[in-house]
Amino acid sequence: MEIGIETALEPAAEIPVVEKQSRRSGGRAHRVAVRTAPLADNLRPIRAGMSGGQYAPLSHANVHRIHEAALDALETIGLSQAPQSGVEIMTRAGAILGDDGRLRFPRALVEDMLALANKDLVLFGRDSKHDLDLSGTRVHYGTAGAAVHVVDVENRTYRESTAQDLYDAARITHALDNVHFFQRAMVCRDVVDNFEMDINTIYACCAGTTKHVGTSFSDPSHFEGCMDLIHMIAGGEAAWRARPFVSNSNCFVVPPMRFAEESCVTMEKCIRAGMPVLLLSAGQAGATAPAMLATAIVQAVAECLAGVVYVNAMAPGHPAVFGTWPFVSDLRSGAMSGGSGEQALLTAGCAQMHRFYGLPGGAAAGIADAKLPDMQAGWEQAISNTMAGLSGLNMVYEAVGMHASLLGFCMESLVLGDDLLGQVLRCVRGIDVTEDSVSLEAMREVCLEGPGHYLGHPQTLSVMQTEYVYPAVADRMSPKEWAEIGKPDLVQRAIARKNRILAESTAPQLPPDVDAAIRAAFNIYV
């Protein structure tokens, strides 16, 4: 029996219901069609914003110790190199500028600014169905990073990333249920001019998806022109301010304990323009952050608390994500080790600190040090994504697609990540223990009155979609079935799904007149 891979890999759910019914109207095919029909969002077994928090690597006492150490670091060490505008904003609020040029933050000031911070943040999508509620321990997974290469899995090579690659990644993300937002994942290396690169980054992201988008600006002087583009996409400044669908990933600090002047100026512009900001502290343990995991968290928390002061002293309650992103070094070589168990622990510990402050938080997980989507990549991505979700991290950045410790982005890995995150989200959801779920009625019927098994039982059929999650690409066939369809491996199946998605997504997620106006105003590479 020979079946082509493309044919064999088409999910059953993609076969039109009328086709199934025509085979045997009202029979088994009809029942299968009913069970595989799309569920309402509130009935799906997994979805964006499910609550985590089941896992806590830090004890309550340890969380308080880290908090106290971070406050002590802010009060006695402080941060250097704030721009003059930032010095004025923070000293007016109560920060103290020392003779050594460092800003120090009294404990009372930090506590006052925490009280003003926005704790019930919603990050908007251009389509409201993609809005992200960051309250409590609600979990969302997405992309991020600045990869400079794309992984060519078929040739096992790396090549420079382009604007078209970024657009394709956004289009694929738009079709994936378990990837909830799209932050720029790679650099448009084919766009030489830095302003045009920032423009094309925003265009590629927003043209590819209506999910929430995150981006960066390579220079503060580019911001106004980029906002012109964003206002065009939104339908005007008022519409943008009502639902800001782009956030700025802002590396406002250069660890250890220094402000990044240009990024701070950009952040101030974002605040004035109504753009949410990710306060990103990305020290590397053993290099730009302490090698001890606990102290690496202390430094990240202290730096982000300085950001909370900065933002809320300028605009109380402005939407900001507490972005503690400490990374890990392989201390034998100094190389980044994003796929390590230590990285997973750091991310989960940071999520606990976000919960302690009641702030919307984001951190990195899902990074693979592996160069290809192989078994190493699988365990690296699975461990950290699962721990991040179970710890209740609101925004899990870099969760899919990232290889070679953030140097390479892989489209096939993005597709495979959708399946991986489906299983992770099922773990986050946990086991529902209710009056119905522990009822013995089904057991009585099967054991005392029925055939002695639950196959075909009404309860089994009724929970097939609401209790269980099924992968789109992963292989659950028997060896015989697998052999009959040509023994496809996982990467082949991912390539097939990637190609289907890109073939079906032929137009930008923008009205044609808006797209034409953008192309008339800017040099768009896609």
Side-chain angles (χ1 to χ4, degrees), residues 39 144 371:
L39 286 174
K371 311 306 176 287

Side-chain angles (χ1 to χ4, degrees), residues 185-196:
M186 65 195 93
V187 178
C188 305
R189 297 291 297 279
D190 57 331
V191 186
V192 178
D193 180 83
N194 283 340
F195 172 69
E196 289 191 348

Side-chain angles (χ1 to χ4, degrees), residues 328-352:
V328 169
S329 301
D330 185 318
L331 297 182
R332 300 169 302 178
S333 65
M336 182 182 166
S337 179
S340 63
E342 293 86 0
Q343 180 65 65
L345 282 167
L346 276 176
T347 296
C350 286
Q352 272 189 267

Side-chain angles (χ1 to χ4, degrees), residues 354-369:
H354 307 160
R355 287 159 52 190
F356 173 74
Y357 295 116
L359 295 174
I367 304 163
D369 299 323

Side-chain angles (χ1 to χ4, degrees), residues 276-327:
V277 294
L278 167 65
L279 297 169
L280 180 52
S281 162
Q284 189 168 330
T288 57
M292 296 298 296
L293 299 188
T295 326
I297 296 175
V298 169
Q299 179 178 297
V301 168
E303 289 169 342
C304 285
L305 286 175
V308 170
V309 173
Y310 200 154
V311 168
N312 289 281
M314 182 176 175
H318 183 81
V321 177
F322 197 76
T324 46
W325 284 32
F327 289 119

